[in-house]
Amino acid sequence: MKLSVRVIEARNLPAMDLNGFSDPYVRLQLGKQRTRTKVVKKSLNPQWGEEFGFRVEDLKEELLVSVLDEDKYFNDDFVGQLKVPVSQVFDSENKSLGPAWYPLLPKNKKSKNKDCGEILLTIYFSLNNSFIDLNWNDDHGSNSPLRSFNGPSNSTSPVRTEEIASSKEEKPYSQKSLAGRIAHIFNKHSDTASTSSLEAPEIAGFEVYDSKSDDQSSSDTFEEVMRTMESKDQGSEVPSNLPGGVVLDQLYQIAPPDLNSLLFSPDSSFYKSLADLQGTTELQLGSWKFEDGGEILKRVVTYIKAATKLVKAVKATEEQTYLKADGKVFSVLASVSTPDVMYGSTFKVEVLYCITPGPELPSGEQCSHLVVSWRMNFLQSTMMKGMIESGARQGIKDSFEQYANLLSQNVTPVDSKELGSNKEQVLASLQAEPQSDWKLAVRYFANFTVVSTIFMGLYVLVHIWLATPSTIQGLEFVGLDLPDSIGEFIVCGVLVLQGERLLRLISRFMQARVQKGSGDHGIKAQGDGWLLTVALIEGINLAAVDSSGSSDPYVVFTCNGKTRTSSIKFQKSDPQWNEIFEFDAMNEPPSVMDVEVYDFDGPFDEATSLGHAEINFLKSNISDLADVWVPLQGKLAQACQSKIHLRIFLNNTRGGNVVKEYLSKMEKEVGKKINVRSPQTNSAFQKLFVLPPEEFLINDFTCHLKRKMPLQGRLFLSPRIIGFHTNLFGQRTKFFFLWEDIEDIQVVPPTLSSMGSPIIVMTLRPGRGMDARHGAKTQDEEGRLKFHFQSFVSFNVAHR
């Protein structure tokens, strides 16, 4: 019998590293059989979505599931574990447990950390494949766990898939029995793997068994399946690009649903045309099917990839899974495996297709933004990791060049530069919402405080008019009429408080009307250089901090020390602004822009923050910022899922001499000739750190990064960033931080610990550069990161 274990995800794991996170992975052991999942970096709620198989010989055995934290230089830290008796699974209904959450336990009762988190597992017996185990020992031995074919690594639901594959090439491998033949085929194709090819070849006779796939009939059309996916969408975020790099980033003149149908509909001829272009054969497109109770939408594409100079023609399988399909945004993860290539059972290639709405075209037509990224997922450690990844990268590049060329023949590509040139047309279409002072006053003052104050004031006036003067008594004299009872004293106090609140409301309204905001619809920015234009369209789900259940929001933009402030919108959680803000020309392109949303609370009170965000121009594509929804950060904003709609344009009016002018200025400052780098070097630098095209390399130096141990690599300098990169035995370290984040740069004299080399210590401002904290040597009590660089080949040049 085979015991299948699906490791889905974990939650609330304890932080084992100094950065407040862990690098968890799961190790499974049944008897002498042992295997493990991949490592999820910097996460306390990791998702694996991997499936493993174990041969069961004794029902008295226990499955040991251990969660550990990977440590590069020391032993891996133990997080928690659990033991599941095999007999418990065998005695359960349908011989299956889960999916269920299991609490992780410490190693012993003396452990300080009692709360080790939880892990989501699905454990079941695959009885329909029990006959395959008859000949398992013949080919694999007793210590070989079966890693069954699984879906994408970040899937969050269990999938039970059993594969039986056969082809004409396998006929010579005849067995004495039918069970033996099927066992040979199963063992040959069970490992998940992938190659540098992106489209997966079809294997004749491929069958998929899914006990829960009857939730959705395969006879449904692609449009009906997409509508079902849209109805099930719960507003999940768009998956981020995979770390291997972006191989296609292009705007197309087509609506996102239409582009999704062109690329992934079974009726589309795009895949067949691509197969003819790339020389692949035996292409078979599986139908889209819902699995796991209708939660996961998958299909299998198989074909035989044409031979290349390095690899012969091989069979490959691509499993495609929809991660998101809400009618506007579509995301598909493809897991490609080719076990027949050398070391094919040790790795697979994952490709992520993301289709999002692009900026509206001047013609009014819809636009789609297609981004394709990839990564290598090594299932086992191998010394050939670097060579495999290098070959896969080249194969990915070549395949997607053909992919992009064919797609451009079917759909018209859109040049992002043309969108920038149409900035005036886009902004001219914005019409500021007219604001009538009388309507705003009625909306603002129509509340219980104002109405009750007016009613009580009228009541007192009528009382004075009808009442007769009373005789002077007690400590009173003419002109001084004191309250004659406790009731009168309380009424006077309430009147004073109500009057004070009404005066504050009037003061806030008058001050808010004076603050019209710094947006305009006609004045152009002053100067020549980098021009930044921001259009504030609207906001949704802003936090309510007033007793009325809404807020009075306004937005403050800050870039390079300059601020622009929007007008105030009264009593609105979904305000409409349609205001344009322009920053005067800057000599260098800006790195970041801070966005802060406040609730107006009067001229004398401190404004309450409703959320904040940071627009990083180095990590964002300018074309993407032309129409973007920005999620706000902060406790109030995250609780309400607040967002604001912006249109951001950044262009340069100085033409193409920016690099030479900048380097000439630097030469005067440092007193040294600086050469312009070649376009190939600049392109490689931009791809290494995923930077926009306007960022260029100034210089780079060989040096050591000092952390626990010196790490040799290269330091890269550009106008806006300082970056470090190293690749030792396949272990990559890469980070960058902004020049403007640096608070201080010091030179520490040579010491014995620095191997006789002076050290450059860069200290960042508090709370800045947190994305690069894994490269910092220390972090002080104020939250400032310190980076140590030493062993420069030419220290004086680097220091200058």
Side-chain angles (χ1 to χ4, degrees), residues 504-738:
R504 286 173 61 88
L505 287 175
I506 297 174
S507 175
R508 286 178 59 188
F509 181 80
M510 299 302 296
Q511 180 67 22
R513 296 310 298 149
V514 172
Q515 182 178 325
K516 292 286 186 178
S518 56
D520 72 278
H521 283 263
I523 301 175
K524 301 301 179 183
Q526 303 295 322
D528 191 22
W530 290 93
L531 298 179
L532 175 62
T533 304
V534 182
L536 173 61
I537 311 299
E538 60 184 323
I540 59 172
N541 300 328
L542 298 185
V545 294
D546 295 344
S547 58
S548 60
S550 58
S551 55
D552 306 326
Y554 67 95
V555 185
V556 177
F557 300 94
T558 305
C559 185
N560 283 4
K562 302 175 182 178
T563 61
R564 299 290 185 269
T565 306
S566 75
S567 60
I568 299 171
K569 298 297 180 182
F570 286 111
Q571 304 296 311
K572 287 190 176 182
S573 298
D574 299 322
Q576 295 276 345
W577 277 286
N578 286 345
E579 297 177 359
I580 301 173
F581 308 90
E582 294 185 299
F583 290 81
D584 291 339
M586 295 165 274
N587 293 327
E588 285 84 31
S591 303
V592 295
M593 178 178 68
D594 293 322
V595 182
E596 191 87 27
V597 182
Y598 292 101
D599 173 61
F600 182 75
D601 201 18
F604 307 109
D605 296 331
E606 183 178 356
T608 303
S609 176
L610 301 180
H612 60 88
E614 180 183 84
I615 306 297
N616 193 315
F617 296 103
L618 288 160
K619 297 180 180 179
S620 304
N621 195 316
I622 296 299
S623 61
D624 295 340
L625 297 178
D627 192 358
V628 60
W629 282 93
V630 181
L632 298 179
Q633 304 297 320
K635 293 183 179 179
L636 293 176
Q638 290 178 333
C640 300
Q641 297 183 348
S642 304
K643 295 181 181 180
I644 58 173
H645 187 192
L646 301 177
R647 287 188 171 182
I648 303 173
F649 301 91
L650 178 66
N651 54 1
N652 181 29
T653 61
R654 290 180 177 174
N657 296 324
V658 178
V659 177
K660 293 183 179 179
E661 293 177 359
Y662 186 87
L663 294 182
S664 299
K665 183 182 70 173
M666 283 198 61
E667 288 175 356
K668 297 178 182 179
E669 294 180 359
V670 302
K672 182 185 180 299
K673 177 67 177 177
I674 301 177
N675 297 320
V676 179
R677 311 305 288 266
S678 67
Q680 293 80 8
T681 303
N682 273 322
S683 177
F685 166 68
Q686 292 164 1
K687 289 182 179 179
L688 179 62
F689 292 102
V690 196
L691 300 174
E694 62 268 14
E695 195 70 10
F696 60 90
L697 180 63
I698 298 174
N699 211 339
D700 59 303
F701 303 94
T702 300
C703 67
H704 281 85
L705 172 67
K706 188 176 182 182
R707 293 186 297 186
K708 296 179 181 178
M709 298 176 60
L711 187 64
Q712 184 176 1
R714 295 193 72 82
L715 190 69
F716 297 85
L717 310 181
S718 76
R720 291 187 285 184
I721 73 163
I722 295 180
F724 181 83
H725 174 262
T726 181
N727 185 4
L728 296 178
F729 306 107
Q731 297 294 326
R732 291 177 177 268
T733 299
K734 181 176 67 174
F735 62 87
F736 71 84
F737 50 86
L738 305 178

Side-chain angles (χ1 to χ4, degrees), residues 41-70:
K41 296 292 185 180
K42 297 180 182 178
S43 177
L44 300 181
N45 299 284
Q47 297 180 356
W48 292 283
E50 298 185 41
E51 189 168 345
F52 306 90
F54 298 92
R55 184 171 48 82
V56 178
E57 296 179 348
D58 189 353
L59 292 179
K60 296 181 180 180
E61 292 181 326
E62 288 185 326
L63 174 67
L64 177 61
V65 181
S66 304
V67 180
L68 298 98
D69 169 60
E70 185 186 50

Side-chain angles (χ1 to χ4, degrees), residues 320-585:
Q320 299 176 351
T321 306
Y322 267 95
L323 303 182
K324 184 175 180 63
D326 61 359
K328 297 180 179 179
V329 177
F330 303 89
S331 181
V332 177
L333 182 69
S335 178
V336 189
S337 61
T338 49
D340 292 342
V341 301
M342 186 177 298
Y343 298 98
S345 61
T346 64
F347 68 93
K348 65 180 177 180
V349 171
E350 293 178 348
V351 183
L352 180 64
Y353 301 81
C354 282
I355 303 173
T356 56
E360 184 178 348
L361 299 178
S363 60
E365 298 179 356
Q366 291 186 337
C367 178
S368 298
H369 186 196
L370 174 63
V371 178
V372 183
S373 57
W374 76 287
R375 71 177 172 190
M376 292 291 295
N377 186 6
F378 284 91
L379 309 175
Q380 302 175 18
S381 59
T382 173
M383 295 181 63
M384 307 301 293
K385 182 177 180 180
M387 186 184 72
I388 294 173
E389 191 168 5
S390 177
R393 182 179 291 106
Q394 185 62 39
I396 289 274
K397 179 181 178 182
D398 296 340
S399 296
F400 268 99
E401 285 179 356
Q402 297 174 325
Y403 186 95
N405 291 334
L406 179 61
L407 185 57
S408 62
Q409 297 174 10
N410 291 270
V411 185
T412 304
V414 178
D415 190 356
S416 59
K417 295 181 180 180
E418 295 179 1
L419 291 177
S421 63
N422 294 318
K423 177 183 71 174
E424 288 76 12
Q425 300 179 15
V426 174
L427 297 181
S429 63
L430 298 178
Q431 298 295 330
E433 182 182 5
Q435 295 185 353
S436 171
D437 290 342
W438 286 106
K439 289 183 179 180
L440 287 176
V442 171
R443 184 189 310 143
Y444 188 72
F445 291 110
N447 55 63
F448 177 77
T449 299
V450 176
V451 173
S452 61
T453 302
I454 294 176
F455 175 78
M456 293 185 67
L458 292 175
Y459 184 85
V460 170
L461 291 177
V462 172
H463 169 73
I464 294 175
W465 179 47
L466 297 176
T468 57
S470 59
T471 58
I472 298 176
Q473 54 185 341
L475 300 177
E476 296 177 343
F477 53 86
V478 177
L480 178 63
D481 189 7
L482 296 177
D484 298 332
S485 65
I486 298 296
E488 291 183 2
F489 180 79
I490 293 176
V491 170
C492 291
V494 171
L495 285 174
V496 171
L497 293 177
Q498 290 288 87
E500 189 266 345
R501 293 186 64 182
L502 181 59
L503 291 177
R504 286 173 61 88
L505 287 175
I506 297 174
S507 175
R508 286 178 59 188
F509 181 80
M510 299 302 296
Q511 180 67 22
R513 296 310 298 149
V514 172
Q515 182 178 325
K516 292 286 186 178
S518 56
D520 72 278
H521 283 263
I523 301 175
K524 301 301 179 183
Q526 303 295 322
D528 191 22
W530 290 93
L531 298 179
L532 175 62
T533 304
V534 182
L536 173 61
I537 311 299
E538 60 184 323
I540 59 172
N541 300 328
L542 298 185
V545 294
D546 295 344
S547 58
S548 60
S550 58
S551 55
D552 306 326
Y554 67 95
V555 185
V556 177
F557 300 94
T558 305
C559 185
N560 283 4
K562 302 175 182 178
T563 61
R564 299 290 185 269
T565 306
S566 75
S567 60
I568 299 171
K569 298 297 180 182
F570 286 111
Q571 304 296 311
K572 287 190 176 182
S573 298
D574 299 322
Q576 295 276 345
W577 277 286
N578 286 345
E579 297 177 359
I580 301 173
F581 308 90
E582 294 185 299
F583 290 81
D584 291 339

Side-chain angles (χ1 to χ4, degrees), residues 231-248:
S231 64
K232 294 182 178 181
D233 186 83
Q234 298 180 353
S236 58
E237 295 293 333
V238 180
S240 56
N241 294 334
L242 299 182
V246 176
V247 292
L248 179 58

Side-chain angles (χ1 to χ4, degrees), residues 187 302 431:
N187 293 339
T302 57
Q431 298 295 330

